[in-house]
Amino acid sequence: MILRSISLPPALLLSFSSEILLSKANAQHAKFIGDIGRKLIADESISADSVVATPSPTPNEPDSDDEGIQFKHFIAYSSSRTCSSDAHALPFNNQIRGVNLGGWMVLEPWITPSLFYQFLGGNETSVAMDHYSFCETLGPKEGNKQLRRHWESWVTEDIIRDLAQSGVVNSLRLPVGDFMFQPYGPYVGCTDGALDYVDTLLDWARSYGLSVLLDVHTQKDSQNGFDNSGQTMGFQWTSGINTWPRDLTTFQHWPIRAANWMGTFDNHAINYTVINYENIAHSLKVIEELVNRYHDHPAVLGVEPVNEPWELTPLNLLKQFYWDAYLIVKSKAPYWKFIMHDSFRFTPETWGGFMRGCPDRALDTHIYQAWMDPAPRTTFYNNACAQKSRIALMEREFGPVVVGEWSLATDNCAMWLNGFNDNLPGFPRSPCKYIPCSPPYMGDEQPGTPLDIGKGLQVSSRWPYGTGMSGPSFGLCPVDRDWMTERYNRGEGGMSWVASPPEAPRGRDGTDEVMTHLAAKKISAFSGIGHGFYFWNFRTDLYNPQWSYMLALERGWIPKGNLNDDSIINACHREDSGAFVCQSNRDAPEATVKGGMGYALREENKDASYLDSLSGDDLYDEADEVFNEFWQAHRSQGATCDFGGGALLAEVNKTHDKDYYNTDDYYNVLEINEFPMWKIVLFSVVGVVVGGLAGFTVAMKYSPKFSRAVRSSAMLRPVTSSRVFRQSFGNLIEAGFEGLQ
């Protein structure tokens, strides 16, 4: 059957059980899931070849017989996954400037290692390396006890207040687990009470004027294989094949990583051989429960239905999941933003035109430099600023873009960043800095703390080991490297960083300067062009300010107050190959463009009555000026080039005069002039000779005792009897020596 244009009552939420999915009628959807859905009801295994190997592309226009579903502010067409008649009730005109509350509701060992020290020295049955195994190993009673202690101490009202009062943060991205809304497996009982803490957090956020994006960070059977998905997937214990050292406990993960949320992944064929529609239905049920619970809470900005589905996720299935989740959200929370992760495929070819015309949707991309190859600071600067063009392109081809995760890390040294007692093969790329491991943030009663400073990494009490190395040793933990000050004769792009020690010598630490410049360039790129950002993370257990927003504020790397400073706005002027202007979207309806112009003019207290007389090219030309003038004037305060879908960014070539460059990126870098060793030796020798001659002359002229001793020396007789010596010191020659030739 075909879904007619209907108005859904506010209390009615679409149910996406298998049966309803079958009757969610439009031709494209029925074609996509018809036979497969019937097999799902029969609980049969489904071959994915027909769906995944050759997925049917979704047309750009809805089918002629698809009259769509009428929502509060738009009409949705499932045959094309597009929308029309967007009333744009809440235009995305203000940027997000936020932080992630990572490690709180979803455990990640690298963020809160104090919670996982207790598992060092364990074996196959007593080790936990993610949230799933944490609950599985400790059991529901002890697991819940430790989690409650963690929930009480990792995020507090004081922290939320400090973030709000920093003057920059206006939003929080809260990772939550799917298991909090639909418990399963070892999570049952272990995570009881988690949602009560989320409720409290939302109330705190509202009281301090912050919005909250609810990010579903985990999925059943893992959407990416990482520990941040709740469960490390693609994992195998290898202890049984170790003959030396004896009893060595080992495992492998990275070489065989998999993600089984959407089905069974074949590591040899590099594709999905079976699709798990029960897991997808579970995930949609989670969205339904989340919306039911929080749809009327004023602090909620919106939802992100899945975090970081890996790049091998079947794209057509992922887009269908996003579409189904979007309809669930909009049926009961019409004002929420719906933010979708790009699945590590941030390209117009992947997302251009998807959900075209649908209000309040945005694309999330995560931009990190921690996995880049070691390089001079200028490489990281240029990479940060280059994101402007990529973001602007996606803003044009898709729509609003939010950088949902980024940090200031330029290396892979943070302990357990790539997994508990594990690392990616070949990482870290450079030696790491070690500092004393921090005391447990939740109190001394935490099992496994404090660490024994008498034990190194290569002892049985520090097992198990993965394919790489990362962990505490003799009470020291690895953190990000220091940056050293550069030298004049090598330059900022020189190679001195290659031989630099991980901890800068006293007087040569340039970390503050490099991180300050890098932060300014990233903020300039992410907030100057797109719709904003969330820094990862708000805090870290270890002292690692490259990953901690609060520590970065404390160090002065990220400024407090607003981001209007010229050092941020113009931070990328050396790297920019062009400039950006905000212009009208010539593909948008005239009514949409006029609505955006009216908003801009009213905000500036200008007359907008003349807009009724404009149409065609005259309208769009006038909109170019109105939009760009408003955006250029207000982008530093958080304005975006959106205007209800009536505007977009365009990149143009532009030549700047010298006044534009009067605030050099590198003005604060302490530089030390370095001389080659041969010059140092030469100057030393010359100094000794010249100094000796000067001292000898002064002593001969003003010390009679020294002069007599010199003239009386038989060894120096050839010198003292010379004509040059007599001409220089003749007035001091003692009686009895005058006749000497």
Side-chain angles (χ1 to χ4, degrees):
M1 83 186 211
I2 303 300
L3 278 182
R4 299 297 177 184
S5 179
I6 58 174
S7 178
L8 294 177
L12 178 61
L13 184 66
L14 296 176
S15 174
F16 283 83
S17 64
S18 305
E19 295 85 356
I20 297 300
L21 277 172
L22 285 174
S23 63
K24 185 189 171 191
N26 58 67
Q28 178 68 16
H29 207 178
K31 177 183 177 182
F32 180 73
I33 115 171
D35 292 338
I36 297 171
R38 283 188 287 273
K39 290 181 180 180
L40 174 59
I41 295 174
D43 195 26
E44 297 177 16
S45 296
I46 314 301
S47 172
D49 293 342
S50 61
V51 177
V52 180
T54 56
S56 300
T58 303
N60 292 324
E61 299 296 334
D63 293 346
S64 58
D65 57 354
D66 182 0
E67 297 184 10
I69 308 172
Q70 179 69 58
F71 284 83
K72 185 177 180 65
H73 301 119
F74 65 98
I75 301 173
Y77 302 96
S78 290
S79 60
S80 59
R81 301 180 192 136
T82 59
C83 304
S84 69
S85 304
D86 174 15
H88 224 84
L90 288 177
F92 209 150
N93 285 332
N94 292 312
Q95 288 181 340
I96 293 169
R97 289 170 176 172
V99 297
N100 283 274
L101 300 182
W104 190 40
M105 288 292 120
V106 178
L107 302 182
E108 298 184 39
W110 78 273
I111 299 177
T112 56
S114 292
L115 202 57
F116 285 82
Y117 290 149
Q118 61 187 309
F119 304 113
L120 291 171
N123 54 34
E124 290 87 341
T125 61
S126 60
V127 165
M129 51 188 64
D130 50 41
H131 206 132
Y132 187 96
S133 55
F134 180 91
C135 289
E136 186 177 49
T137 299
L138 294 180
K141 183 177 180 180
E142 178 62 22
N144 190 249
K145 174 184 175 182
Q146 292 193 25
L147 283 176
R148 287 180 180 273
R149 188 163 57 219
H150 160 73
W151 294 332
E152 288 283 347
S153 52
W154 188 242
V155 174
T156 66
E157 184 176 3
D158 288 344
I159 289 175
I160 302 304
R161 182 185 63 246
D162 289 346
L163 289 172
Q165 293 177 353
S166 70
V168 175
V169 174
N170 61 19
S171 188
L172 306 170
R173 181 172 179 258
L174 176 62
V176 296
D178 65 320
F179 49 80
M180 295 161 56
F181 301 91
Q182 289 282 299
Y184 55 90
Y187 296 120
V188 176
C190 182
T191 58
D192 286 356
L195 288 175
D196 296 333
Y197 287 89
V198 173
D199 295 344
T200 300
L201 181 278
L202 292 176
D203 292 341
W204 290 341
R206 181 190 182 189
S207 65
Y208 293 110
L210 302 176
S211 66
V212 179
L213 174 65
L214 297 172
D215 157 43
V216 184
H217 219 66
T218 70
Q219 296 294 339
K220 197 172 186 179
D221 293 328
S222 180
Q223 72 274 21
N224 55 33
F226 302 146
D227 55 11
N228 65 26
S229 70
Q231 184 176 11
T232 304
M233 293 296 289
F235 182 90
Q236 182 180 15
W237 289 102
T238 57
S239 308
I241 61 175
N242 297 316
T243 57
W244 187 261
R246 296 183 64 182
D247 301 322
L248 184 64
T249 306
T250 59
F251 62 88
Q252 66 171 336
H253 165 55
W254 288 107
I256 57 174
R257 179 171 67 104
N260 295 333
W261 167 46
M262 283 198 163
T264 303
F265 185 76
D266 187 331
N267 279 330
H268 299 287
I270 316 298
N271 65 15
Y272 283 83
T273 56
V274 174
I275 298 301
N276 191 330
Y277 283 93
E278 290 183 343
N279 277 1
I280 298 174
H282 163 84
S283 298
L284 291 171
K285 185 65 175 176
V286 167
I287 299 299
E288 180 182 344
E289 292 292 331
L290 184 151
V291 175
N292 281 339
R293 187 179 182 100
Y294 295 119
H295 69 275
D296 59 354
H297 198 293
V300 177
L301 174 69
V303 65
E304 185 163 359
V306 56
N307 174 70
E308 293 187 346
W310 74 338
E311 58 274 23
L312 298 176
T313 303
L315 187 60
N316 204 40
L317 283 173
L318 180 61
K319 287 183 175 181
Q320 188 63 46
F321 168 73
Y322 281 153
W323 177 254
D324 291 339
Y326 178 75
L327 298 184
I328 292 175
V329 171
K330 285 302 179 180
S331 66
K332 196 161 190 176
Y335 297 100
W336 278 18
K337 304 300 182 190
F338 186 82
I339 300 181
M340 302 168 285
H341 188 264
D342 62 9
S343 185
F344 303 104
R345 291 174 275 195
F346 191 60
T347 65
E349 294 77 16
T350 303
W351 300 106
F354 178 59
M355 291 177 63
R356 175 175 49 81
C358 298
D360 304 316
R361 95 274 196 259
L363 193 65
D364 172 20
T365 189
H366 298 172
I367 303 177
Y368 287 116
Q369 295 180 323
W371 286 267
M372 288 174 56
D373 289 336
R377 64 188 69 185
T378 50
T379 296
F380 293 99
Y381 292 166
N382 277 278
N383 175 266
C385 293
Q387 305 306 322
K388 280 186 176 182
S389 296
R390 297 181 67 225
I391 293 171
L393 176 62
M394 290 301 293
E395 288 259 347
R396 291 195 300 270
E397 298 297 324
F398 169 82
V401 172
V402 175
V403 181
E405 293 184 18
W406 65 282
S407 76
L408 292 173
T410 54
D411 59 53
N412 222 240
C413 283
M415 188 176 77
W416 297 346
L417 180 63
N418 292 317
F420 175 81
N421 260 25
D422 197 9
N423 224 324
L424 277 167
F427 283 82
R429 299 289 178 84
S430 299
C432 298
K433 176 181 176 180
Y434 278 76
I435 64 172
C437 301
S438 303
Y441 60 89
M442 71 290 284
D444 293 336
E445 67 272 22
Q446 177 61 29
T449 62
L451 285 171
D452 188 344
I453 63 174
K455 294 180 179 178
L457 186 60
Q458 301 287 357
V459 296
S460 60
S461 61
R462 293 292 182 260
W463 294 349
Y465 301 128
T467 50
M469 295 294 292
S470 180
S473 181
F474 298 106
L476 301 176
C477 290
V479 295
D480 285 35
R481 294 165 53 88
D482 290 339
W483 279 92
M484 289 180 62
T485 52
E486 294 287 356
R487 300 176 180 273
Y488 281 129
N489 63 323
R490 292 185 179 177
E492 297 245 338
M495 297 294 291
S496 62
W497 55 271
V498 174
S500 297
E503 184 169 4
R506 187 173 182 179
R508 291 294 312 281
D509 189 351
T511 305
D512 286 343
E513 290 80 9
V514 174
M515 291 294 106
T516 299
H517 293 320
L518 187 60
K521 293 175 191 296
K522 290 191 174 189
I523 293 172
S524 176
F526 302 158
S527 65
I529 300 299
H531 279 66
F533 60 80
Y534 290 98
F535 186 93
W536 188 279
N537 192 29
F538 79 111
R539 68 180 291 199
T540 52
D541 190 359
L542 298 177
Y543 186 85
N544 211 348
Q546 288 86 346
W547 291 97
S548 168
Y549 188 87
M550 297 175 69
L551 290 178
L553 281 177
E554 184 180 300
R555 292 282 291 266
W557 299 351
I558 297 175
K560 294 184 178 181
N562 60 43
L563 302 178
N564 297 338
D565 192 271
D566 286 344
S567 64
I568 292 179
I569 296 174
N570 297 326
C572 286
H573 64 251
R574 282 183 179 265
E575 291 81 5
D576 283 348
S577 59
F580 296 91
V581 295
C582 182
Q583 65 184 28
S584 62
N585 179 3
R586 307 233 164 194
D587 293 327
E590 290 189 1
T592 299
V593 175
K594 286 184 179 181
M597 294 173 68
Y599 165 81
L601 292 170
R602 287 191 296 273
E603 287 293 309
E604 296 282 284
N605 295 318
K606 296 180 179 179
D607 181 23
S609 60
Y610 74 98
L611 297 180
D612 293 335
S613 63
L614 297 177
S615 63
D617 289 341
D618 291 339
L619 171 66
Y620 291 105
D621 291 342
E622 177 69 13
D624 288 343
E625 296 186 14
V626 171
F627 290 152
N628 192 56
E629 181 180 344
F630 183 90
W631 180 69
Q632 296 287 2
H634 298 282
R635 63 174 177 157
S636 61
Q637 286 85 34
T640 62
C641 181
D642 186 274
F643 299 99
L648 48 74
L649 283 170
E651 186 174 7
V652 296
N653 292 325
K654 187 175 181 181
T655 302
H656 299 292
D657 58 30
K658 63 180 181 180
D659 293 334
Y660 182 77
Y661 297 97
N662 60 4
T663 54
D664 194 337
D665 293 327
Y666 317 122
Y667 58 91
N668 275 333
V669 178
L670 175 63
E671 296 185 350
I672 302 173
N673 198 5
E674 182 184 72
F675 291 95
M677 183 59 66
W678 70 268
K679 286 186 178 181
I680 296 176
V681 174
L682 177 61
F683 282 123
S684 299
V685 171
V686 171
V688 170
V689 172
V690 172
L693 289 175
F696 180 81
T697 301
V698 171
M700 288 294 295
K701 287 183 175 294
Y702 299 105
S703 176
K705 185 176 180 181
F706 179 78
S707 180
R708 283 193 298 271
V710 170
R711 298 174 193 281
S712 301
S713 172
M715 183 177 66
L716 296 177
R717 184 64 53 82
V719 176
T720 56
S721 62
S722 67
R723 182 180 300 277
V724 174
F725 184 88
R726 291 175 61 191
Q727 289 176 347
S728 300
F729 304 106
N731 60 322
L732 295 177
I733 296 179
E734 297 290 332
F737 291 90
E738 295 88 341
L740 295 176
Q741 298 298 322

